[in-house]
Amino acid sequence: MKRLLAPVAAAPLCFAALTDLHAATTISGTQSTAVSTSTSGDLTITGTVSPSSGTAVTLDSSNTITSSGTISITGNDDTTGILVKGGNTGSVSLSGTLTLTDSSISTTVPLTSAERRYGIWVSGTGVFTGDISTSATLTVRGNDSAGILIATEMDGSLSMSGSVSVTGNNSYGIHTTAITAGTILISGTVSTLGTGSVGVALDGVTEGAVDVTGTITSTGYLSTTRPTTTAGFAALTANDELQGGAALRISATTTGGLYAESTSVISSYGSAPAILVGASTGDMALGAYPGNTRGLVLAGSIIASGVYNGFSTTGIQIGGLGGTVEVVGGLSLSGTLTTLAYKADSTGILVGSGATVTDIAISGTVSTTVSSQSSTATAISIASGATVNSINIVGTVAAYATGYSGATTSVASNAVAIKDASGTVSLINNSGIILAQVSKSTDNTGITGTATALDLSANTIGVTINNSGTITGDILLGSGDATVNLTAGTVTGALSFGSGTNTLTIDGGAVYVGALTSDGTLATTVTNGKLRDTSTSTINMRSLTVGSSGEIDFTADPANNTNTLFNVSGTASLASGTKIGLIFKSKVTDSTTFTVIKASSLSVGTNDQTLLGDVSYWYKASIAADTTAGTVSVNVARRSAAEAGITVGASAFNAVYAAFDKDTQVGEAFFNATSASTFGSLYEKMLPDYNGGPFQLLNRGMMALARTEADPTVAMVDEKRGAWVQELGFAVSQNRDQGPGYNGNGVALMGGYEKSVENVGIVGLSSAYMITAVNDPDASSGNQVKGQVFTGGTYWRDRLGGLMANASLNAGYIRFTSKRVFTGTDDDSTAFERDADAHWTGYLGDAHVGLGYEQSLGFMFVRPNASLDYFVLYDGAHQESNGGSAFNLNIASRTGQQGNAEASLTFGTQLGGDFQWKPALTVGWKQVFGDGAGDTTANFAGGSSFTLVPQSMVGGGPIARLTVQAGNRYSDIGLELGGESRHGYIGYDARFVSKFRF
């Protein structure tokens, strides 16, 4: 041992030098008998040592063992791979394989019936002086067994960079029960499988540091993969859910502390902690890790998963076993700690009774989740009887409680980020994230329970909380004096002050949103930032000071005649520039005045309407401060659509107001909208499609079909029968003006059959299949109306010299689907979405007549054209679903009709002989007349109807088309690109047509 005097330490070495007469031995072949260094001297194994029982290799003299070969024993209890006897000096170095196993491997419980098998066993009397190092593959199957067991005092280091795999109950991967005077380094992989089996158990004093850079895993489960089906859960038996021990256990003093480096992974699957520090009796400590000030330094990954239902989990447990534990300098976690339990509690870090961890510093992530009923997720838990003075967070501490997948009723689970039941925490600094969240599962009706960020209700000595990061969840304070300093960032959740002398300060642009609770001892200062109190109760405080950059938002619930009231026993001081706002939980029906501050003494820097801050935009407001009465009051009345700046869809204003709060989250989103832009955006999301996007898109598609039916050919003979096929792409776009804007596009496949009839001309039949989609980007990026269109029609055209005439009549059946999307943020700052879906049918018709005259001008031609189209679209009535009671609409049938008159001039040339080319440019004017898309009448569930009128499209604008045709007597192909523009509306299309005679 290091504490022995040098002469004493040297004596055995001298004695060994005088008495050891054996030469070194190398085993390169296969040996079935045991070997010991007392007969072999320094031993090197490059071959195989494989006796049938007992001990394969023994270090029983001051020599060394080096093995890159194979050491194995199959069958029999009480077997040992390498036995190192105390009282000797030497070393063990392995790089091959060491296997103690059964003759027949079982994959079901019991996994083995063998007992007391040890891969490397340091035993006997006296001190073993030397190091043990293994990069080998070490495999042991046996109950009450170990991969490596240090059972007598060892003056040297233990290094494991290979793998240790142990299968059996109450066994260990690595186990120390005696003093180890040196470093313990685990850079390889340790895994244990068995009931009560521990990955690494350091139950003996370590006079050095413990350094983990590798992987340690423990479980009692045959499989660590959770079933995903009902049948999978039903197939589970008790043998599938056997519980293992901790992955890493330290139950005796470690003078150099524990460092789990960034590459380390420490995992426990089951109820045992991933890391357990403490013992049932006596005192122990983790000294500071060399080069660090802390005894527990965690930079890697730590995982604790229950996998199956009903098994609680703990990531790190310090103390709480009966004895005392001191972690010198505290705990730091810069890695990740993840715990997960189903239908059971889960704890990230547990500081138990009898443990002293002066400081907890989190720069990494602690994430704890329960997916269960009546369970609690606690990220950091400090038990009664423990001591923790401070907590510093620059990373993330998060607790999640989610509804259990498969449940049919609401479940009750709680999430707590930090809970101090000891009452010893006096300082919390957060510049990171502290989060407690209670949420639904994907198939669950909901979840009840509480989300608590900081539970300091046991504190009686006083506590200071400094926050410049994010805290989400309730903060519960005790009877000790509490100082809460919000210097930046956000805090969301209830803030409950106890009976101490308390202080709340908001500065640096910090924002607090939640329900304050105080019994009158609170002094509140808002220097630069916002305090939004979401309660509708009276808050008693001793003073209130608001600076020139400070804002306070109060909450009113007119339906229950309540609102937030700051009742100040001392002075309330509002500097010039202070803003007082008012947010609502229910609707105002009549002009109402709310008193929000009542103070014994009130001073106001600027007593006019500049004092008014954010108010829910549904309402117009005025503010009055009475310094004599010591009151500040806000009067509100509902805005009209014009006062709210609603010009698009204003006729739905009253209907939206009547419906919006039927959905709690939709209501909260509207009540929290305090600006015209935010309010206007939410309002427009409530409206149906009404500005004619699908109408104009289908109109354009049908006009393109009519042009194909009317087009003259290049050189084909008209005396024969023929057919044609066309591919069409078309699109429309309308800027926001009197109605919301839209973008639409469609594709179509069209075809027809035609023949020449003497003295009549060309007559034909056509059909088409179209797919259309119209988006409303002004309301929501997800809003869309889709259509599938099936048409059939007949047409005629004829030509007499240069004179050309044509006419067509087409009709169609439409299958419409639509989706409207409402997105917003609720009182908990949680983003949400509602999707309203509908399906309905419709019909369309288009009549077309056209006339043109083509005149040759040498190598060019000119053709004046005139045409008239009349388009009609009928939309059937339909009812939306899935959007909720505040968002779903019932939409009545509507009919739209529009005439389109075009006058144009085509310039072109015709080139070639038997095969001819005919490029042309058409320019002209299009005049639109008629009623347009038709009015839309709708109502929210149980509400009054409203009618929305689409933007008028009456008027004219230029058109242009570029066409290239080519063909001979029997075939004709054409490509056309065209567009139009008027009143912020743009339409364009591209079509390719192929005609042939037979």
Side-chain angles (χ1 to χ4, degrees):
M1 279 178 67
K2 294 178 180 178
R3 62 176 180 267
L4 295 178
L5 296 176
V8 177
L13 297 176
C14 297
F15 178 78
L18 293 173
T19 58
D20 186 4
L21 301 179
H22 300 288
T25 301
T26 296
I27 299 175
S28 58
T30 299
Q31 180 171 314
S32 60
T33 57
V35 59
S36 61
T37 59
S38 59
T39 57
S40 69
D42 292 342
L43 178 62
T44 300
I45 302 172
T46 60
T48 299
V49 177
S50 181
S52 60
S53 61
T55 299
V57 179
T58 302
L59 192 156
D60 56 356
S61 59
S62 293
N63 291 104
T64 63
I65 297 175
T66 303
S67 176
S68 60
T70 299
I71 300 172
S72 67
I73 303 176
T74 301
N76 293 310
D77 296 343
D78 301 298
T79 58
T80 303
I82 298 176
L83 175 63
V84 178
K85 291 188 175 182
N88 294 297
T89 298
S91 66
V92 175
S93 177
L94 302 184
S95 60
T97 62
L98 193 161
T99 304
L100 306 179
T101 188
D102 298 326
S103 56
S104 177
I105 303 299
S106 173
T107 59
T108 59
V109 175
L111 295 171
T112 181
S113 59
E115 297 180 337
R116 297 175 300 281
R117 289 173 171 169
Y118 308 105
I120 301 173
W121 183 11
V122 182
S123 181
T125 58
V127 178
F128 170 67
T129 303
D131 298 334
I132 296 177
S133 173
T134 172
S135 61
T137 300
L138 200 159
T139 304
V140 175
R141 295 184 70 88
N143 302 317
D144 299 306
S145 301
I148 300 174
L149 173 60
I150 310 299
T152 194
E153 193 169 347
M154 174 173 151
D155 190 355
S157 296
L158 172 62
S159 174
M160 197 289 295
S161 59
S163 67
V164 176
S165 175
V166 178
T167 301
N169 299 334
N170 303 312
S171 295
Y172 303 88
I174 298 175
H175 191 196
T176 70
T177 60
I179 296 173
T180 302
T183 298
I184 296 178
L185 172 61
I186 301 169
S187 57
T189 300
V190 179
S191 62
T192 57
L193 169 60
T195 302
S197 291
V198 178
V200 175
L202 305 182
D203 296 332
V205 171
T206 302
E207 294 181 346
V210 178
D211 200 334
V212 181
T213 64
T215 299
I216 305 173
T217 304
S218 68
T219 187
Y221 299 149
L222 296 175
S223 171
T224 57
T225 300
R226 180 176 172 83
T228 58
T229 64
T230 301
F233 282 103
L236 293 174
T237 67
N239 286 340
D240 294 307
E241 299 178 341
L242 299 174
Q243 297 299 300
L248 173 57
R249 181 179 79 196
I250 302 177
S251 64
T253 293
T254 300
T255 60
L258 168 64
Y259 185 13
E261 298 190 30
S262 60
T263 56
S264 65
V265 180
I266 302 173
S267 306
S268 171
Y269 296 95
S271 285
I275 297 177
L276 176 61
V277 180
S280 58
T281 59
D283 304 331
M284 65 157 291
L286 295 183
Y289 184 83
N292 201 298
T293 60
R294 299 177 184 271
L296 192 51
V297 184
L298 306 170
S301 175
I302 302 167
I303 300 168
S305 175
V307 181
Y308 303 112
N309 296 340
F311 297 106
S312 60
T313 57
T314 304
I316 303 166
Q317 179 177 340
I318 304 169
L321 301 177
T324 64
V325 180
E326 179 185 4
V327 179
V328 174
L331 174 158
S332 71
L333 187 146
S334 59
T336 60
L337 168 59
T338 305
T339 70
L340 172 62
Y342 301 87
K343 292 191 176 183
D345 296 339
S346 185
T347 304
I349 299 174
L350 171 61
V351 183
S353 177
T356 298
V357 183
T358 54
D359 178 71
I360 296 175
I362 308 295
S363 59
T365 299
V366 178
S367 176
T368 299
T369 302
V370 294
S371 178
S372 59
Q373 295 164 297
S374 302
S375 301
T376 299
T378 308
I380 299 176
S381 178
I382 304 165
S384 176
T387 301
V388 175
N389 303 130
S390 59
I391 300 175
N392 292 278
I393 298 168
V394 297
T396 298
V397 175
Y400 303 94
T402 137
Y404 177 67
S405 180
T408 57
T409 58
S410 294
V411 301
S413 291
N414 304 314
V416 183
I418 300 174
K419 179 180 178 64
D420 175 26
S422 71
T424 61
V425 174
S426 60
L427 176 64
I428 296 178
N429 295 315
N430 176 55
S431 59
I433 297 172
I434 301 175
L435 170 64
Q437 181 175 296
V438 176
S439 60
K440 297 178 181 180
S441 68
T442 55
D443 61 352
N444 178 289
T445 57
I447 186 169
T448 60
T450 57
T452 305
L454 302 173
D455 184 351
L456 308 176
S457 56
N459 185 280
T460 60
I461 63 172
V463 64
T464 297
I465 300 171
N466 298 314
N467 180 69
S468 60
T470 300
I471 300 177
T472 304
D474 297 343
I475 300 175
L476 310 178
L477 301 169
S479 59
D481 297 345
T483 299
V484 179
N485 298 316
L486 309 184
T487 58
T490 60
V491 175
T492 305
L495 179 50
S496 177
F497 288 94
S499 58
T501 301
N502 303 308
T503 302
L504 170 62
T505 301
I506 299 176
D507 203 353
V511 176
Y512 168 74
V513 179
L516 285 177
T517 304
S518 168
D519 62 1
T521 63
L522 175 64
T524 301
T525 301
V526 183
T527 304
N528 176 13
K530 177 183 285 190
L531 188 163
R532 174 175 287 191
D533 195 306
T534 59
S535 74
T536 55
S537 305
T538 297
I539 315 301
N540 297 314
M541 54 183 66
R542 55 191 169 98
S543 67
L544 174 65
T545 303
V546 186
S548 60
S549 298
E551 180 176 352
I552 300 179
D553 291 344
F554 297 87
T555 301
D557 183 4
N560 294 299
N561 197 30
T562 60
N563 63 271
T564 313
L565 172 63
F566 283 4
N567 186 30
V568 185
S569 60
T571 298
S573 175
L574 310 180
S576 296
T578 292
K579 298 295 182 183
I580 301 297
L582 192 61
I583 307 301
F584 291 83
K585 285 188 175 295
S586 59
K587 296 172 182 172
V588 173
T589 54
D590 299 305
S591 177
T592 308
T593 297
F594 301 93
T595 299
V596 294
I597 297 175
K598 182 174 179 58
S600 297
S601 174
L602 174 66
S603 66
V604 180
T606 303
N607 193 352
D608 58 23
Q609 292 308 302
T610 61
L611 185 61
L612 185 66
D614 292 337
V615 177
S616 296
Y617 206 75
W618 278 116
Y619 308 111
K620 53 188 176 183
S622 61
I623 193 166
D626 186 337
T627 56
T628 302
T631 59
V632 176
S633 301
V634 180
N635 177 267
V636 297
R638 185 183 150 194
R639 294 181 192 265
S640 66
E643 290 170 328
I646 299 299
T647 58
V648 173
S651 59
F653 194 78
N654 291 338
V656 173
Y657 187 77
F660 78 93
D661 63 342
K662 292 180 180 179
D663 182 311
T664 300
Q665 286 184 302
V666 173
E668 291 172 353
F670 267 104
F671 282 135
N672 289 327
T674 59
S675 68
S677 59
T678 302
F679 177 82
S681 175
L682 293 177
Y683 179 84
E684 224 164 281
K685 293 174 184 178
M686 299 290 286
L687 305 180
D689 166 72
Y690 74 92
N691 206 31
F695 178 91
Q696 297 298 341
L697 183 63
L698 290 169
N699 181 22
R700 186 158 194 86
M702 295 303 290
M703 288 183 67
L705 171 61
R707 285 202 309 275
T708 301
E709 295 167 336
D711 281 344
T713 61
V714 177
M716 281 200 311
V717 292
D718 286 338
E719 292 79 10
K720 294 178 176 290
R721 293 174 296 173
W724 55 269
V725 63
Q726 173 175 273
E727 292 179 275
L728 171 67
F730 52 105
V732 295
S733 176
Q734 172 67 54
N735 293 336
R736 178 185 176 84
D737 189 5
Q738 301 168 29
Y742 54 78
N743 298 310
N745 56 78
V747 294
L749 181 63
M750 301 171 172
Y753 170 81
E754 60 188 34
K755 67 177 294 185
S756 176
V757 178
E758 187 175 2
N759 298 324
V760 174
I762 300 294
V763 295
L765 300 173
S766 67
S767 64
Y769 173 66
M770 302 183 189
I771 300 175
T772 62
V774 177
N775 301 302
D776 179 3
D778 286 339
S780 175
S781 60
N783 281 17
Q784 191 172 69
V785 179
K786 294 182 178 181
Q788 285 184 297
V789 188
F790 307 87
T791 73
T794 184
Y795 61 91
W796 163 85
R797 71 174 182 270
D798 198 10
R799 181 168 184 165
L800 180 61
L803 181 65
M804 295 175 286
N806 56 80
S808 63
L809 184 64
N810 293 283
Y813 168 77
I814 314 166
R815 292 199 296 241
F816 283 113
T817 62
S818 71
K819 179 180 181 180
R820 287 192 310 120
V821 178
F822 185 97
T823 56
T825 303
D826 63 15
D827 282 351
D828 295 325
S829 299
T830 300
F832 68 92
E833 180 175 312
R834 298 288 184 270
D835 296 339
D837 304 309
H839 305 269
W840 72 100
T841 59
Y843 304 93
L844 59 77
D846 181 76
H848 167 87
V849 293
L851 189 67
Y853 186 86
E854 187 172 303
Q855 177 65 51
S856 175
L857 300 174
F859 70 94
M860 294 186 61
F861 71 88
V862 60
R863 183 173 65 238
N865 307 284
S867 65
L868 179 66
D869 287 83
Y870 201 80
F871 176 72
V872 178
L873 174 65
Y874 169 80
D875 279 86
H878 52 282
Q879 188 175 58
E880 293 179 328
S881 59
N882 304 320
S885 55
F887 192 49
N888 285 335
L889 282 167
N890 302 319
I891 301 173
S893 62
R894 65 186 173 193
T895 300
Q897 47 193 334
Q898 178 173 298
N900 306 277
E902 287 188 9
S904 63
L905 193 61
T906 300
F907 302 89
T909 185
Q910 190 157 339
L911 309 171
D914 291 338
F915 188 86
Q916 299 184 15
W917 293 87
K918 192 174 185 179
L921 173 66
T922 299
V923 293
W925 186 265
K926 178 177 179 178
Q927 189 72 25
V928 173
F929 60 93
D931 296 334
D935 297 348
T936 300
T937 299
N939 66 280
F940 294 99
S944 300
S945 295
F946 58 90
T947 299
L948 298 171
V949 179
Q951 181 172 332
S952 174
M953 300 298 289
V954 172
I959 61 172
R961 299 188 188 97
L962 180 63
T963 306
V964 177
Q965 285 181 275
N968 55 27
R969 290 174 56 84
Y970 301 102
S971 65
D972 191 290
I973 58 173
L975 174 64
E976 179 186 87
L977 304 175
E980 63 174 299
S981 175
R982 69 178 184 279
H983 304 312
Y985 167 87
I986 298 175
Y988 45 94
D989 54 56
R991 60 190 182 98
F992 176 80
V993 61
S994 176
K995 299 181 178 181
F996 50 92
R997 291 283 183 258
F998 52 86

